[in-house]
Amino acid sequence: MELIHSFLNYLEFEKRYSKRTINSYQTDLFQFSQFCSSRGIEQLSEVDSKIVRNWVVVLLEDSCSNRSVNRKLSTLKSFYKFLLKQSFTEVNPLNKIDSLKIRKKLPVFVTSNQINQLLDEVTFNSDFSGIRNKLIIQVLYNTGIRLSELIALKEADVDKDNLTIKVLGKRNKERIIPITLPLFNAIEHYRIFKHQEFGNGCAFLFVSDSGTALYPKLVYRITTSALNHVTTMDKRSPHVLRHTFATHLLNNGAQISAIKEILGHTSLAATQVYTHNSFEKLKRIYKQAHPRA
């Protein structure tokens, strides 16, 4: 246990990890230490790769997911790197241990027909809240911006002359996203209502029912309530509309590099996940259309 406590102190005072993260490391290491003790190994510095593999097998037999196993292996890798650096051990037993493969989940999205039904057929209230709620759905679907980016949008970020919005993304990186004239007109219609209700005091584009800045839970409630009208999917979050935006663009011929820029992804690999949805659509069409499928 002395080696574990030394490592945890290193994480706390040198790496400045959060208490929650340190507790997670501690849980994993105590669990591994107990496993080693049950195999007659009292010193963690004497562990070899065979013991680590045996532990992985036991975790999987106990229905531990691949993702959870990989997190525990990551803890061990950090721990034994520390032991090597401090000369507490001469061999890293994790050197020949590979992480388990994790099947990537395809992004959840709604169909074009469902979006059209939501925006064209579902009735929103004609008061301020109803107009705002519909506009939130329109902006999320028409621009693919994140929840945090939606909340941070300011009236000044909407450019009438160029029909664009300026978005402040992750790591304070700005990007410009084009919008359609109908969306701009919807924003202007909402803005008139907003100023009538609350004046010009709040710079943020979207506000709550009391005129203050939006908060995440409210946006979640709005999108969940709206999507309830057209889908029974488990996930009905604002991010579903971001996935829907990207998938629909790709299905209609947009270049993946352009989608990457609009979404604000730093890596093309993050955007390529949407190609899987398109491929799944092609497979469905093939099975339905080919006479021998």
Side-chain angles (χ1 to χ4, degrees):
M1 291 296 179
E2 184 178 342
L3 294 179
I4 293 178
H5 288 304
S6 296
F7 175 64
L8 296 177
N9 286 335
Y10 163 75
L11 296 181
E12 180 178 1
F13 298 111
E14 293 192 37
K15 301 294 287 184
R16 302 291 183 180
Y17 282 8
S18 69
K19 186 174 181 180
R20 181 177 179 181
T21 300
I22 293 172
N23 287 339
S24 177
Y25 275 79
Q26 177 177 292
T27 299
D28 293 339
L29 290 172
F30 280 4
Q31 184 184 24
F32 181 63
S33 177
Q34 291 172 355
F35 173 80
C36 291
S37 295
S38 70
R39 298 300 193 273
I41 300 174
E42 298 300 332
Q43 298 297 325
L44 292 181
S45 57
E46 299 174 359
V47 166
D48 58 22
S49 58
K50 182 178 179 181
I51 290 297
V52 177
R53 289 194 182 95
N54 288 343
W55 188 49
V56 170
V57 171
V58 170
L59 290 173
L60 293 174
E61 289 176 345
D62 288 342
S63 300
C64 191
S65 69
N66 285 18
R67 191 177 300 276
S68 295
V69 170
N70 285 346
R71 181 181 57 78
K72 294 177 186 296
L73 287 175
S74 178
T75 295
L76 290 187
K77 287 177 182 178
S78 298
F79 175 64
Y80 279 100
K81 282 182 181 178
F82 169 78
L83 295 190
L84 278 170
K85 186 177 180 181
Q86 300 297 323
S87 300
F88 290 131
T89 185
E90 297 179 355
V91 179
N92 187 341
L94 276 295
N95 278 341
K96 297 182 180 180
I97 305 295
D98 295 326
S99 298
L100 303 181
K101 290 184 178 180
I102 297 176
R103 184 180 179 184
K104 290 185 177 180
K105 294 183 178 179
L106 295 181
V108 176
F109 66 99
V110 294
T111 67
S112 297
N113 288 338
Q114 288 171 325
I115 282 292
N116 291 336
Q117 180 185 352
L118 174 58
L119 296 178
D120 298 337
E121 299 177 21
V122 173
T123 301
F124 289 79
N125 292 336
S126 58
D127 58 4
F128 167 77
S129 296
I131 293 172
R132 177 203 60 203
N133 293 357
K134 183 173 183 178
L135 182 61
I136 284 175
I137 302 301
Q138 289 173 304
V139 170
L140 288 172
Y141 173 64
N142 279 274
T143 65
I145 61 176
R146 302 177 178 93
L147 167 62
S148 58
E149 296 168 346
L150 176 93
I151 291 175
L153 271 182
K154 296 181 179 178
E155 291 193 18
D157 294 329
V158 181
D159 187 334
K160 176 183 178 180
D161 296 328
N162 295 307
L163 288 181
T164 60
I165 60 170
K166 182 173 65 177
V167 175
L168 185 64
K170 291 183 176 180
R171 293 173 289 278
N172 291 324
K173 185 178 179 181
E174 287 187 353
R175 66 185 190 278
I176 305 297
I177 300 176
I179 60 174
T180 63
L181 180 59
L183 180 58
F184 173 78
N185 290 336
I187 292 173
E188 285 297 290
H189 178 61
Y190 156 80
R191 195 150 46 179
I192 291 172
F193 261 77
K194 176 192 169 190
H195 291 172
Q196 288 175 346
E197 289 280 334
F198 308 110
N200 303 329
C202 185
F204 289 107
L205 177 60
F206 291 106
V207 295
S208 68
D209 293 341
S210 59
T212 57
L214 282 186
Y215 49 94
K217 283 188 177 180
L218 176 57
V219 182
Y220 266 91
R221 287 202 300 268
I222 291 169
T223 55
T224 299
S225 176
L227 289 173
N228 275 342
H229 291 287
V230 296
T231 180
T232 57
M233 295 189 310
D234 291 335
K235 289 187 177 181
R236 297 182 293 278
S237 67
H239 219 68
V240 168
L241 292 173
R242 178 172 166 86
H243 293 326
T244 301
F245 164 82
T247 302
H248 289 181
L249 281 185
L250 194 61
N251 286 343
N252 285 281
Q255 293 184 348
I256 193 168
S257 58
I259 299 174
K260 168 184 173 294
E261 295 302 318
I262 294 175
L263 292 177
H265 286 161
T266 56
S267 168
L268 189 62
T271 317
Q272 285 174 331
V273 67
Y274 296 106
T275 63
H276 295 290
N277 277 329
S278 295
F279 183 66
E280 290 300 316
K281 179 183 178 182
L282 286 175
K283 288 199 298 185
R284 289 195 300 271
I285 293 173
Y286 173 82
K287 289 180 179 179
Q288 291 170 1
H290 197 282
R292 297 189 62 85

